[in-house]
């Protein structure tokens, strides 16, 4: 896979499909970080892997066959949703199960003229977005953790969601049938995605959510208008050490890492142990609440706080 060409198309159009049967096979079992780094130019800072497979007791869209309304995958790492959603197709449904994509930047440029008040509200009005992974607070379009993000739940319950609905219906949606051995990469800050219903229990994808070192360039006009929530992730020495420690924890060779970073292996182990010590402190129930409040002022409350 040509990572540079892939990135260029992703930037221009919001999505790209690559034929990559070997990579699809590896998406199931091999290190997903390694795969993500190969697919995307410029390095990755976090990767999640999710099986997309209908199961008997499934409740999420990922584990059922139902129609999935347009939405963003907005679980965040330090404020920002994943930059890129990678969908590796192991087996397509015999019928249905097609991917739907809608370009939110195009939607915004329509709205700016068609309904200026709604356009402004998307930048200014703080909403609560209720997702399975927890709630997000903030405007629909905002710079979250240094990334310009459009946020949309599958079933918005508020008036802004209702006002937005006819425009979503009127915006052209891309229908994609991804075949076995193909990988779809989607700009998750720009494109809303959904899926048509299907009945074939053999449909199987592997989804990677990838946080990249550098963002896909957003439109300057929208970026300038958006409010900023949270702090961008710094690109400093501590960040490089954190990345190295995460690599160590997921099984990269300490010797190789130490050589790459030009440090002693003993230093690597000190970083790992320091990180684990601080992580344990942060995860103590009483500390965690204060930590989340400090770390992400005013834009997020976990669903557990509601109970
Ligand atoms: Fe999704």
């Amino acid at each position: 896979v040509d990572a540079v060409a892939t990135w260029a198309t992703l930037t221009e159009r919001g999505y790209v499909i690559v034929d990559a049967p070997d990579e699809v096979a590896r998406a199931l079992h091999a290190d997903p970080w390694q795969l993500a780094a190969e697919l995307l130019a410029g390095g990755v800072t976090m990767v999640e892997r999710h099986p997309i497979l209908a199961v008997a007791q499934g409740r999420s869209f990922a584990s059922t066959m139902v129609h999935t309304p347009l939405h963003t995958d907005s679980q965040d790492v330090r404020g920002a949703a994943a930059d890129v959603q990678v969908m590796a197709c192991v087996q397509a449904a015999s019928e249905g199960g097609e991917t739907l994509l809608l370009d939110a930047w195009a939607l915004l440029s329509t709205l700016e003229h068609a309904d200026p008040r709604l356009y402004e509200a998307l930048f200014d009005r703080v909403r609560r977005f209720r997702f399975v992974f927890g709630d997000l607070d903030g405007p629909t379009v905002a710079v979250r953790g240094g990334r310009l993000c459009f946020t949309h739940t599958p079933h918005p319950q508020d008036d802004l969601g209702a006002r937005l609905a006819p425009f979503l219906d009127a915006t052209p949606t891309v229908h994609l049938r991804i075949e076995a051995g193909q990988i779809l990469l989607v700009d998750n800050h720009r494109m809303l995605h959904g899926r048509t219903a299907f009945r074939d229990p053999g449909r199987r994808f592997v989804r990677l959510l990838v946080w990249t070192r550098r963002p896909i360039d957003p439109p300057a006009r929208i970026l300038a208008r958006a409010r900023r929530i949270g702090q961008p992730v710094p690109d400093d020495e501590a960040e490089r050490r954190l990345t190295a420690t995460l690599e160590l924890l997921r099984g990269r060779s300490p010797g190789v890492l130490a050589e790459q970073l030009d440090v002693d292996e003993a230093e690597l182990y000190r970083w790992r142990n320091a990180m684990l010590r601080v992580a344990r402190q942060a995860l103590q129930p009483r500390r965690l609440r204060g930590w989340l409040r400090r770390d992400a002022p005013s834009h997020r409350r976990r669903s557990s706080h509601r109970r």
Side-chain angles (χ1 to χ4, degrees), residues 63-204:
S63 60
T64 53
M65 304 186 187
V66 298
H67 170 80
T68 306
L70 291 167
H71 65 279
T72 48
D73 283 356
S74 296
Q75 49 266 64
D76 71 289
V77 172
R78 291 184 285 176
D83 295 88
V84 182
Q85 188 202 52
V86 175
M87 292 286 286
C89 182
V90 181
Q91 190 181 320
S94 51
E95 221 180 312
E98 289 172 3
T99 299
L100 309 171
L101 295 177
L102 185 146
D103 185 348
W105 300 161
L107 170 71
L108 285 174
S109 61
T110 302
L111 276 180
E112 191 175 0
H113 305 288
D115 190 340
R117 290 180 64 182
L118 176 56
Y119 177 81
E120 298 297 327
L122 293 178
F123 290 91
D124 293 334
R125 276 263 301 278
V126 172
R127 309 165 69 187
R128 173 152 299 173
F129 298 94
R130 295 183 181 281
F131 287 101
V132 174
F133 61 82
D135 295 349
L136 285 181
D137 289 351
T140 312
V141 188
V143 179
R144 296 175 177 270
R147 305 296 213 244
L148 180 68
C149 300
F150 191 102
T151 307
H152 190 71
T153 62
H155 296 289
Q157 303 288 328
D158 60 354
D159 67 306
L160 271 193
R163 286 163 64 189
L164 199 53
F167 291 100
L168 289 173
D169 290 342
T171 304
T173 305
V174 181
H175 285 244
L176 297 173
R177 185 179 162 81
I178 310 300
E179 301 289 352
Q182 291 186 319
I183 297 180
L184 168 70
L185 298 98
V186 178
D187 179 345
N188 184 50
H189 297 157
R190 167 181 178 180
M191 308 299 283
L192 312 186
H193 65 271
R195 181 195 68 207
T196 63
F198 61 97
R199 290 170 164 277
D200 178 359
R203 182 184 188 270
R204 184 173 191 182

Side-chain angles (χ1 to χ4, degrees), residues 234-283:
D235 191 12
D236 59 8
E237 180 58 25
E239 198 58 35
R240 276 187 286 281
R241 291 178 179 190
L242 176 60
T243 303
T245 309
L246 290 172
E247 293 196 34
L248 187 68
L249 288 175
R250 60 171 225 265
R252 277 288 297 284
S253 153
V256 171
L257 264 177
E259 198 180 310
Q260 232 175 46
L261 293 155
D262 198 22
V263 295
D264 289 339
E265 279 188 46
E267 181 69 7
L268 273 183
Y269 287 114
R270 277 195 286 274
W271 297 350
R272 181 188 68 181
N273 293 343
M275 187 179 102
L276 292 176
R277 197 167 59 231
V278 174
R280 193 185 183 287
Q281 286 168 8
L283 290 174

